[in-house]
Amino acid sequence: MSIRAATNDDVPAIQSLIDRSARELSIGYYTAEQIDGAVMHVFGVDSQLIADRSYYVIEIDDTIVAAGGWSARRTLYGGDQMKDTEDPRLDPLHEAARIRAFFVDPAWARHGLARRLYNECARAALAAGFTRFELMATAPGVPAYLSLGFTIVERVNTPLPGGVSVPFARMTRTIE
């Protein structure tokens, strides 16, 4: 098992991982319509994270089985399809870094991969001067983030095209 910064060459494999993870691990948390809407309009690769070298992949036998990262930029969640403006940098003295886009292959769920990604993100964010994290969690992600020490600050519903609304939870924690 190895962890490394994602590259543009990884994007197709990451997008496939996101689709599998979201579709399989969201069952029981979201309806089929909510899953389809989120996969189409919310979940996806944020190419800025790859350019910033703050998005990581975990590989087992040369296969990407998990991906996730952190960001020193304003965007809280969503892939490239959600962005239409510049993504300015955050001030580490006054703002929280973002935990972004954690997805795990369903076959590897609950094997500590999200914790490994989190530890890599925390190390890098601390080195960049950040002391807090903020994230927007999916319903199936909430238990994992709670186990990592995050607390729920707010529950929100994100309206999507087609009249579908998807619930998320904004969460925070101190980086230690």
Side-chain angles (χ1 to χ4, degrees), residues 37-121:
V39 168
M40 180 175 285
H41 301 289
V42 180
F43 304 149
V45 173
D46 181 338
S47 57
Q48 185 66 61
L49 298 177
I50 292 174
D52 289 347
R53 301 197 45 78
S54 62
Y55 198 66
Y56 308 105
V57 295
I58 294 178
E59 293 178 306
I60 297 175
D61 298 327
D62 296 322
T63 300
I64 295 174
V65 296
W70 74 281
S71 180
R73 296 190 181 267
R74 183 125 351 259
T75 297
L76 184 57
Y77 70 109
D80 286 343
Q81 72 272 36
M82 284 188 65
K83 289 180 157 184
D84 59 2
T85 62
E86 194 174 311
D87 198 359
R89 289 198 171 272
L90 298 165
D91 176 357
L93 296 177
H94 305 287
E95 297 175 291
R98 312 308 196 208
I99 285 291
R100 298 286 313 281
F102 275 40
F103 293 95
V104 176
D105 186 297
W108 288 94
R110 291 171 272 297
H111 284 85
L113 301 183
R115 183 170 300 278
R116 186 148 181 216
L117 286 168
Y118 173 79
N119 289 338
E120 185 70 18
C121 293

